[in-house]
Amino acid sequence: MSDDRSLVTVRVVPADRPEVDALLDRYLDERAATFPTAQGSYSRKRTPAAEFVPPNGTFVVADVAGTPVGCGGLRRIADDGDDVRFEVKHVFVTPEGRGRGVATAVMDVLERAAVELGATSVVLDTNDSLVAAGAMYRSRGYVRVPAFNENPNATAWYRRPVR
């Protein structure tokens, strides 16, 4: 049996490509369908593609055996004192891509890009209902911090120093 992780490739793409739109539509559809009802309604909000352009960001698509199955973006947000922060956005893996190391591969590329773009830390927000995502972030060294934005879908905010 082959290791599916060896089939994962991650490439930098413009965030306004049709394949990105298709992945983000699936992401937003899934989040809306699975959002905890006790938290209200899911706010369908997409970060503008222009925010994922170097030197202020990047966007990646992950493929397994040539099929796009995941994505994620990175954008610069306001510094916090001397802390140069880049925020991870829209990390998503399709159901058929899950369990193959796709999210890990996406995060590896985004974190390296953050360092190359001058970040001192990477931040992100998530919802505690996304148990696997939270566990992955914590396993990568992210620690919970106070909210740094007003994302109505988020219940948890994380930061990881990269310098």
Side-chain angles (χ1 to χ4, degrees):
M1 182 175 193
S2 69
D3 182 1
D4 283 339
R5 293 170 202 266
S6 65
L7 302 174
V8 178
T9 57
V10 180
R11 55 197 163 84
V12 174
V13 300
D16 60 357
R17 289 185 59 163
E19 67 185 327
V20 171
D21 286 338
L23 285 165
L24 291 179
D25 284 345
R26 288 186 71 182
Y27 165 69
L28 294 171
D29 290 347
E30 182 177 303
R31 289 302 301 133
T34 61
F35 195 71
T37 55
Q39 294 176 22
S41 298
Y42 181 73
S43 175
R44 285 181 78 94
K45 184 179 172 202
R46 210 187 243 189
T47 303
E51 295 186 28
F52 298 117
V53 176
N56 294 315
T58 192
F59 203 90
V60 300
V61 168
D63 300 307
V64 170
T67 301
V69 296
C71 63
L74 181 75
R75 69 175 179 174
R76 185 163 183 179
I77 62 170
D79 295 350
D80 184 14
D82 292 335
D83 192 14
V84 177
R85 300 181 303 174
F86 278 75
E87 180 183 22
V88 170
K89 297 294 295 179
H90 306 320
V91 172
F92 173 67
V93 179
T94 63
E96 56 273 20
R98 293 177 188 157
R100 299 172 183 230
V102 174
T104 296
V106 166
M107 290 297 295
D108 287 348
V109 172
L110 294 177
E111 289 170 356
R112 278 194 306 272
V115 171
E116 291 168 7
L117 293 168
T120 57
S121 69
V122 175
V123 297
L124 57 89
D125 62 43
T126 190
N127 189 289
D128 285 315
S129 67
L130 299 171
V131 176
M136 178 191 64
Y137 298 137
R138 289 186 299 277
S139 76
R140 297 180 71 81
Y142 287 83
V143 295
R144 280 184 93 131
V145 296
F148 56 83
N149 64 26
E150 296 180 10
N151 182 349
N153 301 321
T155 58
W157 290 261
Y158 288 91
R159 176 183 179 275
R160 178 178 172 231
V162 292
R163 285 189 201 257

